Amino acid sequence: MTLRRIGSSHQPVEVMIDPGEEQPEGWGYAASLRWRLAFMRAVLVAITVGVISVASYWTVSSSLTSSVDEGLEEKASTLLERAQEPGFYENVEDEIAMLKSYNGDLRVALSPPGWEYVVGDSIALPADLPPSRGTPDSRIISGAGGERIVVMSDETGAVVVMTLQMDDIRRLVTSLGVLLLIISCAGVLISILLGFAISDASLKPLAQLQRAVETVARTDQLRPIPVVGNDELARLTVSFNEMLEALRVSRMRQSQLVADAGHELKTPLTSMRTNIELLMMASRPGSPPISEQDRHELECDVLAQMEEMSTLIGDLVDLTREEETNVLEPVHLNRVLETAVERVERRRHDVEILTHTVSWYLNGDGFSLTRALVNVLDNAVKWSPENAVVRVSMKPIDKHHVQIVVEDSGPGIPEEEREMIFERFYRAVQSRSLPGSGLGLAIVRQVVDRHAGHIEVGESDDGGTKVTLVFPGTQDPTHLSPGQPNPQ
């Protein structure tokens, strides 16, 4: 593993890099997002303008060539029609000269029917294109000098050959190509400049988000970012604000947990320190002696306070473990309940626990579920009078939910305190004189919530406390897959 330093100059961040993992390289990853957006826009414009320019160049060039070919065919056809008029061949040279006078670059050769020579210009034809006689025909080819040649014959056997130099048209097409190239280059340059401007405007919310992140990292202040618009960046800002709020709540809960834990630990620690100091003073030479009964009471107090601190620390560890555990696997819930009942029965033998269970399975954490059920049963047993009975029933309420009800015969919980008993370190008025951390039911609530369940507290039939827990799951274990949500 190696370290790579990233981030701004104000707040660099070191990130662990696995040397076995292939890292992306190249300009696309080294350049800034602003440059990449501008470059992609320039490439897109260049491709678009290039395609349009090539298509325009080819269209204009083909249109001009086609226009020349049509003009040559029209002139050749007209000349052949004139050749069929009486007396045409008596003035054939004048007719050709008149035709050429209106077309300066035009060369014309006419071979009358039955003649062995041509009238007009001497035009060399390709060897593979002999003049056709007696059959109406028309052919257009490109000459060696770049001119266009049309060869046309009619049914009388007359053949006309016309050529036209394409120098002017080639110059026009070349000028058009240069102009299109200049326009393409200008379009790409303008697209790059506009790409930077558009990128700056588009990435402005992202820049604000970056500054906000840097501010959070630098000042540790979780201030939300103003949301502008309703686009993807706005939704990203909303998600970031939600993350900040979750972080703020988590930090507040952590601070509150530390403060509450410190307060709860301070009381037994102070009392234990006082008792230990009294025992140390009594053991010093010359100190007033204390009776064996007082010494025994001090020692019992120290042991009780140590037990209280041990219980509190264990509950804090369980609470933290519940926040970090995410592994869920198939659990046989009624067996978990039976295990919890066995543990609680060993703590108090004068209270009977009657249970009624059914077979039920769910994806969960068996250790956490056992801990939660032990806490609920332990509270029921602790508050029950001597020779009382704690009733535990388990039954399905629908196809995918099961209900566990724990009822005792104790003093019950006032209605106004039934929701507060699930808060961390909260203890009801009547229980504050008894040992306990005030975290047991908070752990139960956290376990139930993590398993997508529900818990509520009410009054039992004989005035005691009734705790109802609802868990998802199924009676058929084949419907469960490890790591997957429970059936709903």
Side-chain angles (χ1 to χ4, degrees):
M1 302 292 287
T2 59
L3 287 176
R4 178 178 295 176
R5 188 171 294 271
I6 62 174
S8 63
S9 58
H10 301 288
Q11 194 73 18
V13 179
E14 290 185 343
V15 180
M16 300 298 294
I17 302 298
D18 187 354
E21 181 181 356
E22 183 178 355
Q23 301 298 322
E25 297 179 355
W27 180 86
Y29 292 95
S32 65
L33 181 60
R34 178 170 174 260
W35 265 102
R36 279 183 279 170
L37 289 175
F39 177 76
M40 286 189 291
R41 287 189 176 93
V43 170
L44 182 60
V45 171
I47 293 175
T48 303
V49 173
V51 171
I52 294 176
S53 299
V54 171
S56 301
Y57 180 85
W58 180 83
T59 301
V60 172
S61 176
S62 300
S63 298
L64 291 175
T65 303
S66 178
S67 177
V68 169
D69 293 342
E70 291 176 359
L72 287 175
E73 287 185 325
E74 182 180 356
K75 293 179 176 64
S77 177
T78 302
L79 186 59
L80 287 176
E81 290 177 359
R82 292 273 298 164
Q84 296 179 8
E85 296 179 0
F88 172 81
Y89 289 104
E90 297 178 358
N91 302 309
V92 62
E93 293 184 355
D94 294 336
E95 293 284 348
I96 293 175
M98 182 179 298
L99 178 62
K100 293 176 60 178
S101 65
Y102 294 102
N103 301 274
D105 296 330
L106 185 67
R107 294 194 301 155
V108 181
L110 174 61
S111 176
W115 291 25
E116 296 299 330
Y117 62 91
V118 297
V119 180
D121 299 308
S122 176
I123 301 175
L125 295 177
D128 58 346
L129 190 65
S132 300
R133 291 186 179 273
T135 303
D137 190 17
S138 177
R139 304 182 189 183
I140 299 176
I141 59 174
S142 295
E147 71 273 8
R148 299 293 289 178
I149 302 174
V150 60
V151 180
M152 184 176 291
S153 61
D154 60 8
E155 63 276 3
T156 64
V159 178
V160 174
V161 181
M162 291 187 180
T163 68
L164 182 66
Q165 288 292 333
M166 301 288 289
D167 294 341
D168 292 340
I169 294 178
R170 283 199 300 270
R171 284 193 294 269
L172 178 61
V173 172
T174 302
S175 300
L176 176 62
V178 173
L179 180 61
L180 290 175
L181 180 62
I182 294 174
I183 293 175
S184 300
C185 294
V188 172
L189 180 60
I190 293 173
S191 69
I192 293 176
L193 298 177
L194 290 178
F196 279 116
I198 296 174
S199 299
D200 289 339
S202 301
L203 297 178
K204 187 176 180 180
L206 192 59
Q208 293 176 348
L209 183 61
Q210 179 187 0
R211 288 193 296 269
V213 173
E214 293 174 351
T215 301
V216 170
R218 185 175 63 255
T219 64
D220 208 26
Q221 296 179 357
L222 306 179
R223 296 178 180 175
I225 307 172
V227 180
V228 180
N230 192 31
D231 55 4
E232 288 78 2
L233 290 177
R235 290 193 288 273
L236 177 62
T237 306
V238 171
S239 299
F240 183 77
N241 287 341
E242 292 175 351
M243 182 190 67
L244 288 181
E245 179 61 20
L247 181 60
R248 186 190 67 80
V249 172
S250 176
R251 180 181 296 177
M252 182 180 65
R253 292 178 59 189
Q254 182 182 20
S255 300
Q256 186 65 35
L257 177 62
V258 172
D260 292 342
H263 176 75
E264 294 293 327
L265 286 170
K266 183 178 181 180
T267 300
L269 184 61
T270 302
S271 179
M272 185 170 60
R273 178 179 178 178
T274 301
N275 291 334
I276 292 175
E277 288 177 349
L278 288 175
L279 290 172
M280 292 175 61
M281 290 175 62
S283 64
R284 292 175 183 172
S287 299
I290 60 175
S291 64
E292 287 298 325
Q293 182 179 356
D294 290 340
R295 180 183 295 275
H296 179 70
E297 290 178 354
L298 288 174
E299 291 175 351
C300 289
D301 285 344
V302 170
L303 291 176
Q305 289 147 8
M306 291 178 64
E307 181 68 23
E308 184 178 354
M309 289 184 62
S310 177
T311 301
L312 178 59
I313 292 172
D315 288 341
L316 287 171
V317 171
D318 288 340
L319 198 64
T320 304
R321 180 181 180 276
E322 285 305 316
E323 293 179 348
E324 297 177 352
T325 303
N326 291 314
V327 179
L328 302 179
E329 58 185 6
V331 175
H332 201 173
L333 186 59
N334 57 302
R335 291 183 181 176
V336 171
L337 178 59
E338 292 169 358
T339 301
V341 169
E342 292 176 1
R343 290 186 185 179
V344 175
E345 282 179 333
R346 292 194 292 265
R347 300 181 183 181
R348 188 173 177 183
H349 300 286
D350 60 338
V351 175
E352 182 182 3
I353 302 178
L354 296 179
T355 61
H356 172 74
T357 63
V358 295
S359 180
W360 193 263
Y361 299 85
L362 77 159
N363 277 329
D365 180 3
F367 179 85
S368 299
L369 290 169
T370 303
R371 174 66 167 163
L373 293 174
V374 165
N375 287 352
V376 173
L377 293 170
D378 193 42
N379 280 342
V381 169
K382 182 171 63 175
W383 289 102
S384 295
E386 293 183 4
N387 302 318
V389 177
V390 173
R391 289 87 65 193
V392 180
S393 63
M394 177 181 179
K395 63 178 181 179
I397 56 178
D398 59 37
K399 185 178 179 180
H400 296 301
H401 292 87
V402 71
Q403 174 180 275
I404 300 176
V405 179
V406 179
E407 298 178 283
D408 61 50
S409 302
I413 301 175
E415 187 174 354
E416 62 273 10
E417 295 186 4
R418 290 175 184 172
E419 283 298 322
M420 294 186 291
I421 62 174
F422 296 107
E423 296 179 3
R424 296 175 180 179
F425 300 105
Y426 179 82
R427 301 180 69 186
V429 176
Q430 63 269 29
S431 66
R432 291 174 185 173
S433 59
L434 299 176
S437 64
L439 292 175
L441 290 178
I443 294 174
V444 174
R445 182 67 160 283
Q446 195 163 298
V447 171
V448 172
D449 289 344
R450 189 163 67 86
H451 288 81
H454 172 69
I455 183 172
E456 63 180 23
V457 176
E459 184 178 345
S460 64
D461 295 336
D462 53 359
T465 301
K466 176 181 178 181
V467 179
T468 303
L469 302 99
V470 177
F471 290 101
T474 178
Q475 289 185 296
D476 186 357
T478 60
H479 293 167
L480 297 179
S481 299
Q484 298 298 318
N486 289 293
Q488 295 292 332

